[in-house]
Amino acid sequence: MPSDELLTAFIDGELGAAERDRMEKLIADDVRVAERFDFLSRSDLPFREAFEPVLAAAPSAKLDAMLAAIPSTKEQKKAASGISRRGFLSAIAACLVVGIAIDRAAIGINHRLAKPDEGTEWRAVVAEYLSLYTPDTLSAPAGDHAEQAAQLSEVGSKLGLTLTPETVAMPGVDFKRAQVLNYDSKPLAQIAYLDPESGPMALCIIPSTRGTSEPDMENRRGMNVVYWSNATHAFMLIGHSPIDRMKTLADGVRASLAV
C-alpha cells in the first residue's frame, strides 16, 4: 500500500516515469489503492505539506521491518486482483440502495453512517487533514486585532460571509489563523484555534445548497464534531475537546454568525 505522500505526489504529477507507471498499475490492480487514490483526488487540500512533519518524525526503519514481516500469499493477491475497481464501486452503490451499512474501516473513518444528503464527504476530508495537526502546527502568533480582521475579511469574501474576530471568537480558545482551501472546486474556509486544554480545533465552512439543518454531532478520527447548515452554507466545529464543551462552543459561534 503506497503512502499518502506518494499518492499525493502521483496526483500532483511529481513522480518519474517508472514510478508513475508503477502507481498506475497499483491503482488499476488493487482496490484499496484505488479507493485511497479517489479519496485524495477529491480535494486540493495541501496534504503533502501537512504530512511532511509526520513523515520526518516517523521511525522509518522500524516501519519497514514491520511491513516486511506481514505475510503475502498468492491467494490474497488473487483475491485482491480479482475484484475490478468498477465492480467494487458498483457493490458500494448496491449496498447504499438496499440500506446496508458499509464497513467503516474500509473508508477510513470512525463515525456512524450518515444519510447520503448530509454532506459527509467534506467533513471526512477536513477530519483527515486536521488529524495531522499538533499544537506546534499552530504555534505561530495570530497577529493583532487588525491583522486578524483583515485575514477573516478576505476569507469571508470568498464565501460571501461577514467574518470578524468577534463573530468567530470562542471563550477559552485562542484564534490562530484563517485560510481558504479548496474542496470539490468550492472554497472551504478553515478558521483554526488552539485550545490550551485539548489542542488544535477548527471551524470550517463551505458553500451549500442542501438547506437548513439543526446541529448534530459525530466523531471522526478520534475528534468530536458538531455540524449544522443554513440556507447557503454548511458549518462544522471539530476538535479533541469533550463533546459537551464542543456543543457549547458551537452554539455560541452559531449564534454569532447568524447575527
Side-chain angles (χ1 to χ4, degrees):
M1 185 69 183
S3 67
D4 282 0
E5 183 192 35
L6 190 58
L7 280 168
T8 304
F10 174 72
I11 293 168
D12 293 340
E14 297 176 353
L15 298 181
E19 190 70 357
R20 187 170 60 251
D21 291 344
R22 186 180 77 86
M23 292 298 297
E24 287 176 350
K25 187 175 188 307
L26 278 173
I27 292 169
D29 294 344
D30 193 315
V31 165
R32 298 173 306 153
V33 179
E35 182 186 17
R36 192 62 181 166
F37 169 74
D38 286 342
F39 179 82
L40 293 175
S41 297
R42 282 202 299 265
S43 84
D44 295 330
L45 294 177
F47 283 98
R48 181 181 179 185
E49 292 83 347
F51 269 94
E52 283 177 351
V54 178
L55 291 168
S60 301
K62 184 176 180 180
L63 290 173
D64 288 342
M66 292 171 64
L67 289 173
I70 297 174
S72 176
T73 65
K74 292 182 179 180
E75 289 76 12
Q76 289 172 327
K77 291 180 179 179
K78 183 178 180 181
S81 61
I83 306 174
S84 70
R85 186 176 175 186
R86 178 176 296 180
F88 180 70
L89 295 176
S90 297
I92 291 178
C95 288
L96 290 174
V97 169
V98 299
I100 299 174
I102 302 171
D103 181 2
R104 291 173 295 183
I107 55 176
I109 55 177
N110 180 25
H111 70 291
R112 58 180 174 75
L113 186 66
K115 298 194 293 285
D117 63 348
E118 289 183 329
T120 62
E121 288 186 359
W122 81 280
R123 298 200 303 273
V125 171
V126 168
E128 181 89 9
Y129 183 52
L130 195 70
S131 69
L132 303 176
Y133 278 32
T134 70
D136 289 340
T137 310
L138 301 173
S139 61
D144 59 22
H145 184 276
E147 292 172 319
Q148 294 179 26
Q151 200 174 115
L152 286 164
S153 177
E154 182 178 356
V155 170
S157 67
K158 303 290 186 182
L159 281 88
L161 286 173
T162 300
L163 300 176
T164 68
E166 291 72 28
T167 57
V168 301
M170 293 188 290
V173 180
D174 299 325
F175 170 91
K176 301 303 292 185
R177 70 183 183 214
Q179 59 184 342
V180 176
L181 306 172
N182 181 44
Y183 172 73
D184 198 20
S185 301
K186 294 185 291 188
L188 190 161
Q190 184 202 63
I191 303 168
Y193 305 83
L194 188 58
D195 179 9
E197 297 180 5
S198 63
M201 185 179 296
L203 172 67
C204 297
I205 311 168
I206 193 169
S208 173
T209 57
R210 298 179 184 276
T212 301
S213 65
E214 292 300 309
D216 203 349
M217 294 166 284
E218 62 187 359
N219 184 279
R220 290 182 182 271
R221 301 191 67 83
M223 293 174 286
N224 288 315
V225 180
V226 182
Y227 62 96
W228 68 96
S229 64
N230 60 23
T232 56
H233 294 84
F235 305 81
M236 65 180 288
L237 180 65
I238 179 170
H240 298 274
S241 192
I243 191 61
D244 290 344
R245 183 164 181 257
M246 294 291 292
K247 179 66 166 57
T248 299
L249 293 173
D251 286 346
V253 76
R254 178 171 174 250
S256 297
L257 291 169
V259 174

